[in-house]
Amino acid sequence: MKRQTISNLQYRPLILKKAVLLFLIAVLGVGCQRTLKKPDITSIQKREEWKAGVASVVITPEQSMWLAGYAARTKPSDGKVHDLHAKAIALEDFQGARLIIVTVDLLGIPRSLRDWLEKEVTRCHKIPPAFLLLNASHTHSGPVLKEARDSIYGNSFYGLSPEQIQQSEQYTEALQEKLLQLIGQAINNLAPARLSYTHARAGFAMNRRSKTERGYQIGPNPDGPVDHDVPVLRVDNPDGGLRAVLFGYACHNTTLNFYKFCGDYAGFAQQYIEEAHPGITALFVIGCGGDQNPYPREEPRNLDYSMQHGRALANAVEAAIICNPRPVRGPIRAAIEQTMLEFAAPPSQEQLEQQKKSENKYERRHAEALLNELQQTGKIRTTYPYLIQVVGFGNDLTMVALAGEVVVDYSLRLKAELAGSPVWVAGYCNDVFGYVPSLRILNEGGYEGGGAMLYTPLPGPFAPSVEKQVVDKVHELVNKVQAPRSN
Ligand SMILES: [Zn+2]
């Protein structure tokens, strides 16, 4: 019909044809401008509608327990500096999709705990696994959790007695139940809220890979790469009062090496923020701090330093929340997938037989474990099922949650490659099993490059494909969760 009308114009005088065309262009032009200039206000307002709920529970063991993190400890804990906590935040977008973030003042999250919890959360709350994010602060002043069933050390890495092993198993089982209840509580507390993103900086994390004549050793390296960003997700009541802050920092939580339960700098930072804003919940998410240490951290003043670093991080969060926050709108989209990271070729049986005679007990144990694996399964594993999770908050924020002790190169690279809306890269999420080096660090060697694998049941360093495999999978998941841009 329209086509017919336009073609009929060809027989009219030229001036009339031009006038009609100009009229049509004007009408269409105005029409387009109207579409661009007048966004759908109700849909934007809707996307700003959130519900948020927070909950917190003390997870300090009631009795003395072996402390996780350092192999060299010789006795169990003797008291506490402050309580360890597990905290959960539940967020519900305008479409009813729910995201749960759980943070714990513990060394790590075993994969078995993640698997159990995601199954229960799906069963009890109908929340799919991609919408459950777990992060451990990596404090080295928390209890040893039940080690993975396939631990080469048969639960005895720390040299625990059968009673101590039983104690850590009981603690872990009780912890699982506590976390499930905690999530239920956060969901029950869901109430209208506003979300915004802001950030600041803190400077106490320093690169800890120092080049020496004996290769890369752990020591302060002021010239090495760092990520001093302090990302903050701010949760406000609809009337403007602060309800919660979720904040991050890329640094090992290892100022302390004593025998008391303590959340280290991350525990102090949460404590100081909560003290400054009574009634709010502060949750800490550790970033890609695999090769970053808090400095200074020397004995005997390290408890003072830990509080100092906690104060520095709390200050950064305080600075961030007085900055102009950017509204975070929905919808929430999330994806979680595994990529099979490849290991370099394992040592041969002959090499392992040789290593079994080593004077170093960890080299000896590692060789014995790999020989056991070889005997029992006929081979040594060649891959690791590595979990990667990405959460998109509309187009306003993307959270990348990586498993393991991820080095800082990953957050610097991903933030550069995903530049646009803010990108928050967390490490130590969902499964803390060992270090994840970049290709640079793998090639340089040292502790994070592969040396630390000696303390895990894994065969040795990753293959050079490690960085590409992780980064490619992150991009794939980011593409999945990114919302189509409508304004
Ligand atoms: Zn570590």
Side-chain angles (χ1 to χ4, degrees), residues 138 140 252 405 428 435:
H138 204 47
H140 283 45
H252 252 77
E405 302 205 39
Y428 300 80
Y435 284 87

Side-chain angles (χ1 to χ4, degrees), residues 334-338 387-390 472-482:
I336 190 165
E337 284 183 24
Q338 274 180 184
L387 273 177
I388 298 181
Q389 183 176 25
V390 175
D472 284 355
K473 192 58 153 181
V474 169
H475 280 288
E476 188 191 317
L477 298 191
V478 167
N479 288 337
K480 276 191 186 173
V481 307
Q482 260 177 2

Side-chain angles (χ1 to χ4, degrees), residues 385-396:
Y386 183 72
L387 273 177
I388 298 181
Q389 183 176 25
V390 175
V391 179
F393 295 76
N395 290 315
D396 298 324

Side-chain angles (χ1 to χ4, degrees), residues 69 107 138 140 208 252-254 289-290 293 405 428 432 434-435 447:
L107 183 78
H138 204 47
H140 283 45
R208 69 176 201 182
H252 252 77
N253 202 6
T254 47
N293 260 350
E405 302 205 39
Y428 300 80
V432 181
Y435 284 87
Y447 192 72

Side-chain angles (χ1 to χ4, degrees), residues 308-330:
Q308 230 166 264
H309 300 324
R311 185 61 75 189
L313 185 52
N315 278 351
V317 174
E318 296 287 353
I321 61 182
I322 58 158
C323 295
N324 199 12
R326 299 165 66 151
V328 169
R329 293 159 294 182

Side-chain angles (χ1 to χ4, degrees), residues 416-427:
E417 290 182 2
L418 298 168
S421 55
V423 177
W424 183 331
V425 189

